[in-house]
Amino acid sequence: MKGNIRNKWLLAIGVLLILPMGQETYAVPSHNNFYNVVMQDGADPWVYKHTDGFYYFTKTTGGNVTLWKSAQLTMIDAAPTKVVNTGGSGIWAPELHYINGAWYIYYAMDDGDNVNHRMYVMENTSADPTTGTWQFKGQITDASDKWAIDGTVLQVNGELYFIWSGWEGDINVRQNLYIAHMSNPWTIDSGRIEISRPAHSWETNHSPHVNEGPQVIVRGGVISLVYSASGSWTDDYCLGLITADTSSDLMNPASWVKRSQPIFSSANGLYGPGHNSFTTSVDGTEDWIVYHVAKYRGAGWNREVRTQPFSWNADQTPNLGAPADPDHPIALPSGEAPHFRYEGEEGIFGGEAYASASPKGSGGLKAGHLDTAASYVEFSVQAASAGEYILLARTANGTAGGNWSNLQLSVNSGPSSPFYITNKGWENWGLSTARVQLKAGQNKIRFAKGEGYGEIDFIDIKPVNSRLNCFSVH
């Protein structure tokens, strides 16, 4: 056997792997780890875990607000979506908040000219934000009505505050962070107060100078305002920290204290981590940060979304550590059901396709060379019951020209559909996902040559409803 099948620390739970040619039968282990990419394309991720147990996710799409609804944090990319039409253009960094029994989306929008970016808000009183009607509540602003993006809401001591990134005047000299008091979730009833402007060398190393993407998390009487600094288009983008005591006057700039060094920056071959949000594991026992990074060094605004757990410092501020090594798996969020992993080299190959060495692959090998029309790799998966499943594949695309590629995915010889892979370069592994219908018993999942070129390190299979179904593969 090759790859992770031999990893003795993984738990086998009665799943059979039957090899051809009369070879020995093995137990297929369930896996409780993943490689921490949760969306292969996107920026400004926002995740909110509601009391209904679902994660609600959104990100910058540019033309609307799209909501994803997922039962598990690691399966967001394959979750069903709801598009909320906002009108306008330049829709940036939307956030979804639940306040006083209703849902609110805050987002930046312009009329095609960046100078006119302002913050707006919509309301939905349905129990589920992906259902019901979204009502436009209008622009949310103070009397200055200056350029504004990246708005978020702080709820503390029964009061609401709006925090955002904006210009001091009408020209893009720098982006500062401002706070204002709110009388309700769609109305600011005070003037804006500046609580941060770029000052340290790591905040002013690119022009214009930037403080943006404010996010708040409260613990032990301490408000931690984590924000993004430096140029979002550079590898220097990072996260800084400003703190305030919950008992202080939050409209007094002196109540907010900025740290002199960033708390989360480029490391382990990942560049420009920024614009994060905070959430918890399924069972609520772990704290997780969700953030974007450049897909490769120098990628600028071409970004992906990753997640990882974090701990707390003694002073009740978040200890984010460093971006997790992209080639070492981390444990699934606590409470998530394990999945079943099938290494690429364990598939059946056709045409010119074959398994080859992979220095950064999970088992040292990968399924590749899907280079001709007759090339494919096929997995035979035995499902205990019929239903919908999530397929998550660790994929790579280094096709010349930098374009996306796809493999043609088919199940049980049915119609094929494109299985998209972002272009990050070979051995720079990402994540591709699909929802597939499996029948009870044996299923054949095939990946064939599509547009461009793609490789597969492994595939993970997980039931949508997270029940621990049994699988086998041969």
Side-chain angles (χ1 to χ4, degrees):
M1 283 298 300
K2 304 182 181 73
N4 283 356
I5 296 301
R6 295 184 296 190
N7 289 357
K8 295 181 180 180
W9 61 273
L10 294 172
L11 174 66
I13 58 171
V15 186
L16 295 181
L17 170 63
I18 307 170
L19 295 178
M21 303 296 290
Q23 296 182 44
E24 185 177 355
T25 297
Y26 293 83
V28 175
S30 63
H31 279 60
N32 290 285
N33 63 48
F34 74 118
Y35 282 77
N36 104 321
V37 180
V38 292
M39 193 162 283
Q40 67 174 326
D41 188 64
D44 311 325
W46 170 264
V47 178
Y48 174 78
K49 181 173 175 286
H50 193 43
T51 54
D52 62 4
F54 285 96
Y55 292 91
Y56 294 95
F57 174 91
T58 188
K59 64 175 182 177
T60 293
T61 60
N64 58 42
V65 174
T66 302
L67 303 177
W68 284 255
K69 179 182 178 180
S70 177
Q72 299 188 40
L73 184 59
T74 63
M75 292 163 54
I76 283 174
D77 189 55
T81 61
K82 165 71 174 182
V83 174
V84 180
N85 292 314
T86 56
S89 62
I91 311 299
W92 293 352
E95 292 190 4
L96 177 69
H97 292 257
Y98 189 72
I99 305 171
N100 300 333
W103 295 96
Y104 296 90
I105 292 174
Y106 299 90
Y107 57 98
M109 181 174 67
D110 67 20
D111 57 1
D113 185 348
N114 175 50
V115 171
N116 296 320
H117 257 112
R118 299 295 189 273
M119 288 299 306
Y120 298 87
V121 58
M122 302 183 79
E123 180 189 59
N124 188 339
T125 57
S126 300
D128 182 338
T130 63
T131 65
T133 301
W134 282 96
Q135 178 184 0
F136 181 63
K137 302 294 286 187
Q139 183 182 347
I140 180 166
T141 183
D142 70 304
S144 70
D145 192 25
K146 301 298 184 183
W147 187 93
I149 64 168
D150 295 355
T152 195
V153 175
L154 168 62
Q155 303 181 64
V156 63
N157 297 329
E159 300 291 333
L160 295 177
Y161 299 88
F162 199 61
I163 304 174
W164 71 97
S165 176
W167 296 350
E168 186 172 4
D170 298 318
I171 301 173
N172 188 11
V173 176
R174 70 178 67 84
Q175 290 175 226
N176 302 327
L177 297 181
Y178 296 94
I179 189 171
H181 186 267
M182 305 171 76
S183 58
N184 58 47
W186 59 90
T187 307
I188 288 175
D189 65 353
S190 75
R192 66 176 185 170
I193 300 297
E194 179 188 314
I195 56 175
S196 176
R197 67 171 52 201
H200 298 301
S201 59
W202 48 275
E203 298 177 295
T204 59
N205 51 359
H206 298 281
S207 183
H209 302 160
V210 173
N211 280 182
E212 63 185 7
Q215 297 296 328
V216 287
I217 188 167
V218 181
R219 177 184 169 98
V222 175
I223 301 168
S224 290
L225 191 162
V226 177
Y227 67 100
S228 301
S230 189
S232 61
W233 58 95
T234 76
D235 293 339
D236 296 321
Y237 205 49
C238 59
L239 296 180
L241 175 66
I242 306 168
T243 61
D245 193 287
T246 55
S247 63
S248 64
D249 178 5
L250 300 182
M251 295 297 290
N252 181 351
S255 298
W256 298 89
V257 180
K258 180 186 286 191
R259 300 295 171 90
S260 62
Q261 298 296 325
I263 63 169
F264 198 63
S265 54
S266 300
N268 293 318
L270 295 177
Y271 299 92
H275 205 125
N276 74 289
S277 62
F278 296 109
T279 190
T280 64
S281 57
V282 169
D283 61 12
T285 64
E286 299 170 341
D287 294 299
W288 285 70
I289 180 175
V290 182
Y291 60 98
H292 71 228
V293 294
K295 292 180 183 177
Y296 47 86
R297 187 172 187 173
W301 287 322
N302 187 9
R303 295 168 288 194
E304 65 190 4
V305 179
R306 292 179 176 266
T307 189
Q308 62 191 67
F310 68 92
S311 60
W312 293 90
N313 297 310
D315 64 359
Q316 306 301 316
T317 59
N319 181 356
L320 303 182
D325 188 324
D327 296 313
H328 286 82
I330 64 175
L332 288 169
S334 180
E336 282 206 13
H339 42 238
F340 298 91
R341 180 164 301 162
Y342 310 118
E343 296 289 342
E345 62 269 22
E346 294 166 353
I348 302 300
F349 294 88
E352 301 297 319
Y354 61 92
S356 58
S358 175
K360 297 182 178 180
S362 65
L365 292 168
K366 61 189 175 186
H369 308 279
L370 298 157
D371 298 340
T372 64
S375 299
Y376 66 87
V377 59
E378 185 175 272
F379 301 89
S380 184
V381 175
Q382 189 80 14
S385 61
E388 189 173 30
Y389 295 80
I390 303 296
L391 187 159
L392 306 101
R394 194 171 188 234
T395 54
N397 167 19
T399 305
N403 294 326
W404 285 65
S405 66
N406 67 70
L407 298 173
Q408 289 296 310
L409 168 65
S410 61
V411 178
N412 296 325
S413 301
S416 63
S417 59
F419 189 66
Y420 291 100
I421 309 173
T422 190
N423 197 316
K424 296 171 37 176
W426 302 120
E427 291 297 308
N428 187 1
W429 295 102
L431 173 77
S432 302
T433 66
R435 299 170 77 91
V436 295
Q437 289 286 339
L438 299 182
K439 63 184 180 180
Q442 181 176 273
N443 297 264
K444 292 188 179 297
I445 298 177
R446 175 177 290 203
F447 299 89
K449 174 72 170 67
E451 296 292 329
Y453 302 94
E455 296 179 334
I456 297 174
D457 182 22
F458 60 76
I459 65 171
D460 284 342
I461 302 288
K462 205 168 188 178
V464 167
N465 61 11
S466 304
R467 289 181 293 108
L468 298 183
N469 293 41
C470 289
F471 297 85
S472 66
V473 56
H474 64 273

